Amino acid sequence: MYAFKKTIFIALLFVSPFIWTKALCNSSELNPDTIEQILKDSNKEERLDLLLKSTERIIQKHPKLAIDYAETALLLAKEEGKNILVPEAQQLIARGLYIIGDYNKSIQYLDKAHDYYIDRQDSVGLVKTHQLYGQIYTRIGDFKKALDNTQVAFNLAGGLENREKISDLAREIGNIYFYFDEKEIALDFFEKSLKICKEINYSGGIAKAHNNIGRVYSEMGMLDHALEALKKSLKQKDRDEDRVSYGNTLLNIGTVHIKRKEYQIALNFLDEAHGNFASVNNSEGVANSLYYTGVAYHRLRRYNQAIATLNESWQEASNTDSKRLLVNISEALSNVYADIGDFRRAYSHFKTYNSLRDTVFSNEKAKLLIELETKYQLHAKQRQIELLSKEKELKDSEKQQSRILIALLSIVTLFFISLTYFTYSRFRYKSKANDALKKEIKNRMSVEAQLNEYQDHLENIVEERTWELKVAKEKAEESDKLKTAFLTNMSHEIRTPMNAIVGFSHLLTDPESTQEAKDEYIKIIKSNGEVLMNLINDILDISIIEAGQLKTKFKPVPIIDLLNELKNFYCTELDKQAKDITIRTDYDPDFKTLTVITDKVRLSQVLSNLLSNAIKFTGEGVVTLGYRRSSSDELIFFVKDTGPGIAPEKHDVIFDRFSKFDKFDNVKEKQLYAGTGLGLAICNELVRLLGGKIWLDSCLEKGTTFYFTIPYKPDKDDEESGSERKEKLPKNILKDKTILVAEDVISNYQLISAFLSQSGVDIVWAKNGKEAVDLYNSNRHIDIVLMDVQMPIMDGLKALKKIRTVDKKVPIIINSAFYLTDEMEQSFSAGCTDYMTKPIRKEDLLNKLIAHLSE
């Protein structure tokens, strides 16, 4: 199709210059390649006319190419002595330079064209130059020159009765007032422009007026009205015809969504706007879209991306003369650095902001604002005078008509009195009928307007509901996929350690296995047992959280001691794994001895999960663990790694249950890490229970930092700088002690017996709760009781209560396979001394027995 059109246009060149010139001007589908071919096949005189028309045709879509065409036309016009076309070429070059943001050079060409039009008294040319002057000076912030030039263009266009130009200039005057925060006055001019555009059916002007009205509504906080106006503008604009105008409306829609805190939607619109500006090399548009994108990243707490985007915006804005945009960017950078605690850079950007703001908003600008207000009021007064004058003329005309009517009536003879009365009666009747008809028409128009408004509102509601249903459907599908993946993954994750445990357990009984091999098998079985236990704990934790039974116990916690414990533990684990990773701690030395009232177990669980993730996803490098005091009543903890990072589109769902992502989503060879996909979901819930919040900041290939906060509640009674010092307990305290073990499962009893075989204790075994009570009553020399809960005949809690009726002091430790917090509370309410959950560890059992027997 394209080749056919190109052939037709080239053929037309040889038939008639008039025909192909007209075809070129009327075609909306010609591209630069076709134009180049036409120019190549034409003579100098034809080429000059073609160049000017082609420039006018493509200047909005291909401004740089249009500048090249106009410069070639300028040279040809001078060579051929076509002086009348020289200023037209200069004015087109100036327009192209304005579109790409080179304002100073644009003014230089515009000055030359203006001088020529002044000499020739060419009103049409002067309207174009003064209008472009106004647009340029508005962009660079010289509003006095902008207003003066726009006013001159407005007056000249009025003399030429060019209503299309008048509507454009009224809108541009409104823009000047808008930049001075005079929203009411700006809105007045925009509505006047819209009215004229509708009267002359000027679709391009209607679209731009709706865009400007949407901007005013956005600044006035009327966000729903703003979106409605901007959507109307976008619907009427042709993206391919004017990418800058189309990009401006996309940019304005993005800023409205930022104000509505719909940041992800805003980023989509801003990205599309950026693409439109970049395609025509519009520096100011690119800088603006990057600036608002940086603002959106800041609101999402994606600080690294915000800083990178704002710096890129600064570089683009520096290529233009728009100091207003540089003021906004420097302020935004100052705010981002302040939020991440880099106050040195925040102060540096704030000084830049102050300096630029003083330049842009000087006293001269304030005086100009007063002048603008005076001109607007004068304009309003002139309109009132014109209306009063027209009203007086109308009244005089009515009086003249009354005199004529009286004169005619005085001539009428007595014979026609009855006829006159009849006529007058008919007139009154028709007048009443007309009044009724006018009232009916007015009512119908009002109802029609209400119906149209309701229809527009209904369309917006349907569009919003459709979007919400689409999002809900996508979330449901994603949730279903995640759960399916979770079940598949859990089957794999559980079977993997179980396969090792069962397989190497059989090898332990193989007579051909050497003792060295058996020692290695035991290590593998122990390691995989720990992995399996962690998986089960994750599933149980999320179950407790969903059941709403997870509770916290707040006690004094020395923060540095906790961090050092975690660091030492994971350093030991890294030595076993032979990973090239360094773990560092990072905290303010002024708060080294900080002791806070919180739940140590849950705080440690959150930090452990984050550290495990950081180590898992980091092949080699550094993992940093630390905290800061972000305010007088809040602590902020962070775990930072140098791993592969997390893609931005995953940030919103990273804390969802069952979320697991590949190492790299954009490569064929993917690595899916082990785990349930529940760790970060558990961290999110635990941080919420501790009274804080959690978030992340990550860039691909640069690493990830997880942050979370907890309330800062210092332990006022703790004056010591270190952790509590525990006295060492004697290791032989268990010797010759008698322990009653109530356990119905023989393998569990055998495990406890094996744990205590070297301690010198005497073990009495009860196979159910009733037998435990009878043995205790018959043997008063029992020193401590280890009690299971679920047992036949009589459960452990009932047995515990019966023993407490005869002995209030004997230590009784509950040893349960249940994981819920309620059972722990029930056990302590029944009178237990301590509580353990299965599977038990030898070290934990010995420590608890020694601690209670030494009291």
Side-chain angles (χ1 to χ4, degrees):
M1 189 67 182
Y2 168 76
F4 174 76
K5 288 185 178 181
K6 184 173 179 181
T7 304
I8 292 297
F9 274 96
I10 294 174
L12 286 171
L13 292 173
F14 299 97
V15 178
S16 169
F18 171 76
I19 293 175
W20 56 250
T21 302
K22 184 176 180 181
L24 177 62
C25 295
N26 292 335
S27 175
S28 60
E29 299 181 5
L30 283 176
N31 58 35
D33 292 337
T34 305
I35 296 171
E36 288 288 346
Q37 183 62 44
I38 293 172
L39 291 171
K40 181 180 178 182
D41 295 335
S42 58
N43 57 43
K44 282 188 177 182
E45 185 175 349
E46 293 167 346
R47 191 179 300 122
L48 176 57
D49 187 49
L50 264 176
L51 283 167
L52 293 173
K53 290 178 180 177
S54 301
T55 301
E56 186 74 42
R57 190 71 180 165
I58 68 170
I59 195 164
Q60 297 291 347
K61 297 168 66 174
H62 307 286
K64 282 199 170 182
L65 183 60
I67 293 170
D68 292 340
Y69 285 172
E71 288 176 343
T72 304
L74 181 60
L75 292 174
L76 279 174
K78 290 180 178 179
E79 287 177 6
E80 296 295 318
K82 300 278 188 179
N83 295 332
I84 194 171
L85 299 179
V86 168
E88 184 178 347
Q90 292 169 334
Q91 190 265 342
L92 286 171
I93 294 171
R95 273 182 61 194
L97 291 168
Y98 163 73
I99 291 172
I100 66 174
D102 194 344
Y103 301 133
N104 284 332
K105 199 170 180 182
S106 177
I107 290 173
Q108 292 173 10
Y109 277 96
L110 202 56
D111 287 342
K112 297 174 183 178
H114 179 264
D115 291 342
Y116 176 87
Y117 290 136
I118 286 288
D119 292 339
R120 293 297 182 94
Q121 292 295 304
D122 185 343
S123 298
V124 176
L126 287 172
V127 169
K128 291 181 180 179
T129 55
H130 282 291
Q131 182 183 7
L132 188 53
Y133 273 133
Q135 292 171 343
I136 294 171
Y137 285 124
T138 299
R139 290 295 181 187
I140 64 179
D142 194 338
F143 297 111
K144 187 175 190 318
K145 289 183 179 179
L147 185 64
D148 290 341
N149 280 281
T150 307
Q151 191 67 50
V152 170
F154 190 87
N155 294 336
L156 289 170
L160 297 171
E161 297 184 356
N162 187 336
R163 300 193 71 196
E164 187 174 306
K165 279 292 180 187
I166 290 172
S167 68
D168 287 339
L169 292 163
R171 188 179 65 254
E172 288 165 15
I173 292 173
N175 269 330
I176 298 171
Y177 283 105
F178 177 78
Y179 284 125
F180 269 98
D181 203 27
E182 290 292 328
K183 304 180 189 70
E184 300 287 345
I185 300 175
L187 185 60
D188 184 27
F189 277 103
F190 294 149
E191 288 176 343
K192 287 174 185 173
S193 175
L194 179 61
K195 182 180 178 182
I196 296 171
C197 292
K198 286 182 176 178
E199 290 172 355
I200 62 176
N201 197 26
Y202 176 23
S203 60
I206 292 172
K208 290 179 180 178
H210 278 308
N211 176 72
N212 292 117
I213 290 170
R215 288 177 67 201
V216 176
Y217 282 147
S218 176
E219 290 299 316
M220 296 171 74
M222 301 164 64
L223 302 183
D224 290 338
H225 290 292
L227 273 181
E228 183 179 352
L230 291 169
K231 285 178 181 178
K232 286 181 181 178
S233 174
L234 200 64
K235 192 179 293 184
Q236 289 181 309
K237 288 184 176 181
D238 187 337
R239 174 177 173 272
D240 292 328
E241 284 297 321
D242 191 346
R243 285 180 176 266
V244 174
S245 180
Y246 196 84
N248 281 331
T249 303
L250 290 170
L251 180 71
N252 292 331
I253 294 174
T255 60
V256 174
H257 282 295
I258 288 175
K259 291 178 181 179
R260 293 176 67 163
K261 299 182 180 179
E262 298 167 347
Y263 304 122
Q264 196 56 52
I265 298 175
L267 285 173
N268 294 336
F269 281 103
L270 293 171
D271 183 59
E272 189 176 352
H274 180 272
N276 279 275
F277 292 132
S279 68
V280 294
N281 300 295
N282 183 272
S283 298
E284 184 172 2
V286 170
N288 251 320
S289 59
L290 289 171
Y291 162 68
Y292 284 110
T293 300
V295 171
Y297 282 143
H298 182 198
R299 302 283 172 82
L300 288 169
R301 295 187 173 182
R302 288 154 65 174
Y303 300 118
N304 290 340
Q305 290 171 285
I307 291 170
T309 307
L310 288 170
N311 281 328
E312 188 179 352
S313 175
W314 178 276
Q315 293 299 325
E316 282 290 338
S318 299
N319 296 330
T320 70
D321 299 310
S322 180
K323 292 185 179 178
R324 290 182 297 102
L325 183 53
L326 292 175
V327 170
N328 294 336
I329 298 169
S330 56
E331 183 183 19
L333 281 168
S334 177
N335 291 335
V336 175
Y337 280 118
D339 280 358
I340 63 175
D342 192 342
F343 297 110
R344 181 180 62 80
R345 286 192 176 93
Y347 177 67
S348 173
H349 285 288
F350 186 73
K351 285 200 303 182
T352 304
Y353 161 72
N354 269 333
S355 174
L356 289 170
R357 185 187 60 179
D358 291 341
T359 303
V360 175
F361 301 103
S362 62
N363 290 332
E364 291 182 4
K365 300 297 187 300
K367 291 177 182 177
L368 176 58
L369 183 59
I370 296 171
E371 180 183 339
L372 293 176
E373 176 67 18
T374 304
K375 286 187 177 182
Y376 178 74
Q377 295 298 336
L378 179 60
H379 178 71
K381 292 294 182 184
Q382 287 174 344
R383 287 186 61 195
Q384 286 183 352
I385 292 169
E386 290 173 3
L387 289 173
L388 288 172
S389 175
K390 289 180 180 180
E391 187 176 353
K392 185 175 182 302
E393 290 176 3
L394 183 62
K395 287 182 178 179
D396 291 342
S397 176
E398 290 175 352
K399 287 180 181 179
Q400 185 66 24
Q401 289 177 359
S402 297
R403 290 192 190 99
I404 295 171
L405 182 60
I406 293 170
L408 289 173
L409 288 174
S410 65
I411 300 172
V412 178
T413 62
L414 186 59
F415 296 102
F416 295 98
I417 290 177
S418 57
L419 182 60
T420 304
Y421 177 77
F422 176 75
T423 304
Y424 177 72
S425 298
R426 294 289 297 170
F427 175 77
R428 289 291 302 274
Y429 173 77
K430 288 184 177 180
S431 178
K432 288 180 179 179
N434 286 338
D435 289 342
L437 185 59
K438 288 179 181 178
K439 186 175 181 180
E440 178 68 19
I441 292 171
K442 185 177 180 181
N443 288 336
R444 290 189 180 186
M445 289 178 67
S446 175
V447 171
E448 185 179 358
Q450 290 178 1
L451 286 173
N452 288 335
E453 183 178 354
Y454 178 75
Q455 183 179 358
D456 291 341
H457 180 63
L458 187 62
E459 288 177 356
N460 290 334
I461 291 175
V462 170
E463 186 178 345
E464 290 177 4
R465 292 294 182 271
T466 303
W467 175 260
E468 290 172 359
L469 287 173
K470 181 181 178 183
V471 172
K473 178 175 177 292
E474 289 175 354
K475 285 186 177 179
E477 291 173 351
E478 182 68 17
S479 177
D480 185 56
K481 290 178 182 177
L482 288 173
K483 287 181 180 179
T484 303
F486 168 73
L487 293 174
T488 305
N489 184 50
M490 282 305 302
S491 174
H492 173 268
E493 296 295 337
I494 292 175
R495 287 175 181 273
T496 298
M498 282 299 297
N499 179 60
I501 292 170
V502 173
F504 284 105
S505 296
H506 285 299
L507 288 175
L508 285 175
T509 61
D510 188 349
E512 295 182 2
S513 298
T514 64
Q515 185 59 42
E516 183 180 355
K518 289 181 180 181
D519 291 341
E520 185 63 29
Y521 298 160
I522 291 170
K523 289 181 182 179
I524 295 172
I525 292 170
K526 183 178 179 182
S527 173
N528 281 275
E530 293 290 340
V531 171
L532 186 60
M533 194 67 235
N534 288 334
L535 290 172
I536 295 171
N537 284 340
D538 277 349
I539 298 171
L540 292 174
D541 277 337
I542 205 69
S543 300
I544 294 173
I545 289 169
E546 289 184 344
Q549 296 187 1
L550 187 65
K551 298 180 182 178
T552 54
K553 292 184 179 180
F554 289 87
K555 294 180 180 179
V557 179
I559 299 299
I560 298 303
D561 289 356
L562 176 60
L563 263 58
N564 287 334
E565 288 176 13
L566 292 171
K567 178 183 176 182
N568 293 336
F569 174 78
Y570 282 101
C571 284
T572 304
E573 291 297 311
L574 286 172
D575 290 341
K576 295 178 182 178
Q577 299 174 22
K579 267 196 168 188
D580 187 15
I581 297 176
T582 303
I583 299 180
R584 297 175 181 170
T585 53
D586 181 5
Y587 49 83
D588 192 336
D590 293 339
F591 300 103
K592 184 176 181 180
T593 60
L594 204 63
T595 300
V596 180
I597 304 297
T598 189
D599 188 321
K600 181 179 180 180
V601 174
R602 299 307 175 191
L603 178 59
S604 177
Q605 188 175 353
V606 174
L607 290 170
S608 295
N609 274 343
L610 296 179
L611 277 169
S612 296
N613 273 356
I615 292 170
K616 183 196 302 182
F617 291 101
T618 304
E620 60 181 16
V622 178
V623 174
T624 305
L625 169 68
Y627 70 93
R628 295 280 190 278
R629 272 191 62 183
S630 62
S631 64
S632 59
D633 57 356
E634 189 177 67
L635 283 180
I636 180 168
F637 290 83
F638 56 89
V639 176
K640 180 178 182 181
D641 65 57
T642 56
I646 300 169
E649 61 270 18
K650 304 296 185 183
H651 289 191
D652 292 337
V653 296
I654 193 71
F655 295 107
D656 291 349
R657 293 172 174 83
F658 318 120
S659 294
K660 292 187 69 177
F661 306 122
D662 298 337
K663 182 176 181 182
F664 298 107
D665 288 338
N666 57 346
V667 296
K668 293 182 179 179
E669 296 183 2
K670 299 183 177 182
Q671 178 182 355
L672 187 64
Y673 291 96
T676 60
L678 295 173
L680 290 176
I682 293 170
C683 288
N684 188 30
E685 294 295 335
L686 292 178
V687 170
R688 183 181 60 80
L689 284 172
L690 293 177
K693 53 190 175 182
I694 187 169
W695 68 94
L696 78 153
D697 187 13
S698 180
C699 280
L700 289 176
E701 307 302 330
K702 294 184 179 180
T704 303
T705 304
F706 281 90
Y707 301 91
F708 70 90
T709 62
I710 63 170
Y712 174 48
K713 298 176 182 177
D715 181 18
K716 297 180 180 178
D717 297 331
D718 184 9
E719 301 295 336
E720 297 183 4
S721 61
S723 62
E724 298 178 359
R725 297 180 179 178
K726 296 182 179 180
E727 295 181 2
K728 291 185 178 180
L729 299 173
K731 295 181 180 179
N732 58 352
I733 192 87
L734 297 179
K735 190 175 182 181
D736 299 328
K737 299 292 184 181
T738 302
I739 299 176
L740 172 60
V741 177
E743 176 63 66
D744 62 319
V745 179
I746 187 170
S747 59
N748 288 341
Y749 166 71
Q750 290 172 339
L751 178 63
I752 294 170
S753 179
F755 282 164
L756 301 177
S757 60
Q758 303 297 321
S759 63
V761 300
D762 183 19
I763 301 176
V764 178
W765 181 26
K767 300 179 182 62
N768 56 63
K770 184 177 182 302
E771 189 174 334
V773 173
D774 294 340
L775 285 172
Y776 187 82
N777 289 333
S778 63
N779 187 354
R780 292 301 181 85
H781 298 294
I782 291 175
D783 297 292
I784 192 167
V785 179
L786 194 60
M787 181 80 70
D788 187 22
V789 175
Q790 290 292 326
M791 292 186 293
I793 303 175
M794 180 184 293
D795 65 48
L797 294 182
K798 289 181 180 178
L800 167 62
K801 291 176 182 178
K802 287 187 176 292
I803 292 174
R804 281 290 180 236
T805 59
V806 296
D807 192 334
K808 303 289 185 182
K809 296 182 179 180
V810 64
I812 302 177
I813 301 174
I814 291 292
N815 180 28
S816 173
F818 281 86
Y819 199 74
L820 298 180
T821 309
D822 285 351
E823 186 186 75
M824 184 186 298
E825 293 180 352
Q826 292 172 8
S827 299
F828 280 104
S829 297
C832 79
T833 311
D834 208 339
Y835 187 92
M836 298 177 65
T837 56
K838 298 176 182 176
I840 60 175
R841 301 173 187 270
K842 179 178 179 180
E843 295 80 4
D844 294 341
L845 177 62
L846 291 173
N847 288 337
K848 285 186 181 291
L849 291 175
I850 292 171
H852 291 297
L853 289 173
S854 62
E855 291 179 352

